[in-house]
Structures are given as C-alpha cells and as structure tokens.
Amino acid sequence: QVQLVESGGGLVQAGGSLRLSCAASGRSFSRAVMGWFRQVPGKEREFAGGISWSGDSTRYADSVKGRFTISRDNAKNMVYLQMNSLKPEDTAVYYCAASERTYVVGMLLRNYDYWGQGTQVTVSS
C-alpha cells in the first residue's frame, strides 16, 4: 500500500509559480505510477499530469501542458508538480495519486488506487 501527503499549496498571483510536493510511503512506491489531479467545487476531479515509475514517461492535460512539469525522486519517495505561468483557472484543490498495478500513465480517476488529502492552490488575478 501507498500513503500520500501533499504540501506546497497557497495563494499566488496570476503569472506566478508554485511547486507542489507529495511525500509517499510504502515499499512499492518506486514502481508506482504517480499522478496529479485537481478539483474545484461542483466539478469532477480532473487529471493534470502523471509520471511513470521510472520517470522516463510523462503525460499532461492539454490545459496545463507547457506550464506544468511533473517529476519524481524515488530515492526520497517524493513526487513534485512545478506549476509556472499560473492562471486563475488553475485554482483548485490538487491531489496526489498513485497506482501500483500499471506501468502506463493513466488519465482517469479509476486508474489510481491511492490518494492524498489535497492541497489548495489559489491563483488571483
């Protein structure tokens, strides 16, 4: 099993940057596909980015591609989401997710088995 805790959220002005961190525990972390999702009130949780267990493959939603970068450090059991050129539309609760049963980066909620509690990101205009 994998346990996840997000941090790094906060308030930032449009055009600014934030770096989210996800601390993971569990022996299988290094072979888990990791993803970042985000959710606003009244809407479904949506995929932002994901990374393979080796870090060699990444995938991003069109809405964040070119602005967000996902990375991981398996030695530290950490995954990161660097968010640049932030827009008010990026305001959401951001969740870290993990899957131990696939080696490809899924984009659907059902592709992931473990979830953190989320961290709030607010982008002001």
Side-chain angles (χ1 to χ4, degrees):
Q1 63 179 6
V2 178
Q3 296 179 352
L4 308 171
V5 179
E6 304 95 336
S7 62
L11 175 64
V12 65
Q13 291 183 321
S17 299
L18 282 175
R19 189 190 194 197
L20 305 183
S21 298
C22 175
S25 62
R27 288 191 293 174
S28 62
F29 170 77
S30 63
R31 284 181 281 177
V33 170
M34 303 296 297
W36 284 97
F37 288 74
R38 62 187 188 179
Q39 186 172 28
V40 299
K43 296 189 65 178
E44 68 277 7
R45 194 171 299 182
E46 68 176 11
F47 176 80
I51 188 168
S52 64
W53 67 266
S54 67
D56 291 336
S57 179
T58 57
R59 178 175 290 179
Y60 300 95
D62 289 342
S63 58
V64 307
K65 190 174 183 178
R67 300 187 297 119
F68 291 10
T69 303
I70 189 171
S71 61
R72 67 191 297 163
D73 186 341
N74 289 343
K76 295 182 178 295
N77 285 4
M78 298 287 291
V79 62
Y80 307 97
L81 185 67
Q82 178 67 46
M83 305 185 295
N84 299 326
S85 301
L86 283 163
K87 306 174 181 179
E89 306 94 275
D90 296 318
T91 295
V93 176
Y94 283 72
Y95 297 88
C96 181
S99 175
E100 296 179 298
R101 53 184 169 84
T102 183
Y103 58 89
V104 298
V105 180
M107 300 176 67
L108 304 175
L109 290 173
R110 62 176 174 267
N111 296 142
Y112 295 85
D113 306 300
Y114 305 98
W115 297 86
Q117 294 182 326
T119 185
Q120 176 71 47
V121 172
T122 302
V123 184
S124 65
S125 60

